[in-house]
Amino acid sequence: MIEGGATLDLELLRTFEVVAQSGSLAAAAEIRHRTLSAISMQIKRLETELESRLFERGPRGVTLTPSGEILQREARELMRVHDTLVSRFNGERLSGRVRLGIPEDYARELLDDTLPQFMARYPGVLLDVTTDTSGRLARALKRQQVDLAIVLDGAEGLAHGETLWHPEPVWAAPSYGVLHLDPILPLAVHPMECPYRQLAIDALEAEQRPWRALFTSTSIHAVEKAIEAGMAIGVIDRERLTTAMRSLGEADDMPPLRQCEARLHFARAIDATSRSAVEALATLLRERLLGRGPWQTDSLSERHGNGRGGMKPGASRR
């Protein structure tokens, strides 16, 4: 029980946040570089101090209780304020400029938490963020226009990289109608240099299925709107399915899509004055995204026996 004048250990809160985001004690142990028993003991200690059950345990992992959801909101703000204050007074005075490239599909989730946390922790670093297709981000890396970028594999001319998570591309159709039965399949896609566009084309051409790009846009939101409005079918991440969409699979006579990876890449040359700041951001991206991506449920948890639990309403599994 926390009495007057008592304090919470921020390390417990950091562990709590990782468990909450990953949905798995084992995944949190891997991310935090601790043993599973150590993570379990930290969560138990935190629950004891707060006299509240923070997680519901089950065969598919852990989920937040109502008390856990309240703590997560408050803990994020507390850690943000703490990290900002500490960074202003201790020796962690990183400076320089960090140019980050991210696919637009994941910008909203990264802006919700990860990037604001970096800015709070390192107020002396100038952060520049660019969103674009993976192909264009790959070209920006080669031209030294960004220092690091998250890029989907398949981007032309960009090899290797550090795998962060495995996206789940699916065929997305409007929740009504049978567009997928059209003799010439109407597609809503990004322009060239988008790996998801290439996934769709490769899958269709492998089965000699006629198609046409009915709607092309650099905006993921515009592509999704075209799908929701019943104009076309597209390939998006399963997590982006809305109640106005449904996923299609082989049972709907749609060809299978190749799975892919989201990888972290660095520019060949990084300014010496910014190298430490670039690595600090890379470390935070690994901590937040490794094995699970920008969403709360994660593929890393699946490797430890958990399934995905965050599928949006209206989505169906292939």
Side-chain angles (χ1 to χ4, degrees):
M1 177 178 180
I2 296 183
E3 300 176 352
T7 59
L8 281 174
D9 185 341
L10 283 177
E11 284 303 301
L12 298 184
L13 293 179
R14 293 190 195 281
T15 294
F16 162 80
E17 172 67 7
V18 174
V19 174
Q21 288 194 348
S22 67
S24 164
L25 295 177
E30 186 170 333
I31 293 169
R32 294 279 284 163
H33 304 292
R34 287 172 170 79
T35 64
L36 177 58
S37 61
I39 295 294
S40 181
M41 288 177 63
Q42 284 187 314
I43 295 302
K44 182 183 241 184
R45 179 180 160 196
L46 185 60
E47 290 181 323
T48 299
E49 290 185 0
L50 294 176
E51 295 185 331
S52 297
R53 179 179 289 277
L54 302 175
F55 293 102
E56 294 291 349
R57 279 76 167 173
R60 297 169 65 85
V62 296
T63 55
L64 287 170
T65 64
S67 294
E69 291 176 353
I70 293 172
L71 178 62
Q72 185 183 42
R73 290 193 297 270
E74 299 296 334
R76 282 180 173 177
E77 178 62 17
L78 175 61
M79 288 186 289
R80 185 191 68 78
V81 173
H82 170 272
D83 291 345
T84 300
L85 182 62
V86 170
S87 67
R88 287 175 179 168
F89 288 94
N90 70 5
E92 194 176 36
R93 298 182 183 277
L94 285 183
S95 60
R97 181 187 182 196
V98 179
R99 300 168 300 168
L100 170 68
I102 54 177
E104 184 192 353
D105 303 40
Y106 309 112
R108 181 178 60 190
E109 286 73 23
L110 291 171
L111 289 171
D112 277 346
D113 182 34
T114 304
L115 298 183
Q117 181 180 351
F118 178 80
M119 294 175 67
R121 188 178 296 180
Y122 305 108
V125 175
L126 179 63
L127 178 64
D128 292 344
V129 183
T130 299
T131 66
D132 213 326
T133 64
S134 286
R136 290 178 179 174
L137 291 175
R139 190 162 64 245
L141 275 166
K142 289 186 286 186
R143 293 177 176 176
Q144 309 292 320
Q145 294 170 335
V146 294
D147 300 306
L148 72 168
I150 297 173
V151 177
L152 297 184
D153 71 315
E156 185 175 352
L158 196 62
H160 308 299
E162 181 180 332
T163 300
L164 291 177
W165 79 93
H166 294 81
E168 191 176 359
V170 297
W171 291 107
S175 58
Y176 59 89
V178 288
L179 281 178
H180 60 289
L181 299 181
D182 284 9
I184 300 178
L185 191 69
L187 294 182
V189 291
H190 288 308
M192 299 296 291
E193 301 183 299
C194 170
Y196 274 15
R197 174 193 175 106
Q198 197 60 47
L199 282 180
I201 294 173
D202 289 346
L204 293 170
E205 293 189 346
E207 296 194 0
Q208 299 183 331
R209 179 85 177 269
W211 61 274
R212 69 186 183 98
L214 183 148
F215 184 87
T216 302
S217 174
T218 58
S219 167
I220 182 61
H221 304 291
V223 168
E224 290 171 347
K225 189 62 179 178
I227 297 170
E228 291 178 332
M231 294 176 59
I233 289 171
V235 172
I236 64 174
D237 196 292
R238 183 180 292 278
E239 292 285 351
R240 298 194 68 94
L241 288 169
T242 69
T243 55
M245 303 178 193
R246 63 191 178 102
S247 63
L248 301 176
E250 294 181 36
D252 305 292
D253 293 325
M254 295 299 295
L257 295 166
R258 177 182 65 83
Q259 296 305 298
C260 59
E261 297 179 350
R263 297 174 179 168
L264 180 63
H265 291 266
F266 294 86
R268 289 190 302 272
I270 297 173
D271 189 278
T273 61
S274 298
R275 189 171 294 117
S276 294
V278 170
E279 185 52 44
L281 178 55
T283 297
L284 183 60
L285 290 172
R286 294 184 190 105
E287 178 184 320
R288 292 293 186 182
L289 304 175
L290 185 61
R292 61 182 177 82
W295 292 283
Q296 192 164 5
T297 52
D298 64 281
S299 55
L300 180 61
S301 295
E302 288 185 336
R303 296 205 304 269
H304 294 290
N306 298 324
R308 297 181 68 88
M311 191 165 54
K312 296 187 178 183
S316 60
R317 295 195 181 278
R318 287 184 294 176

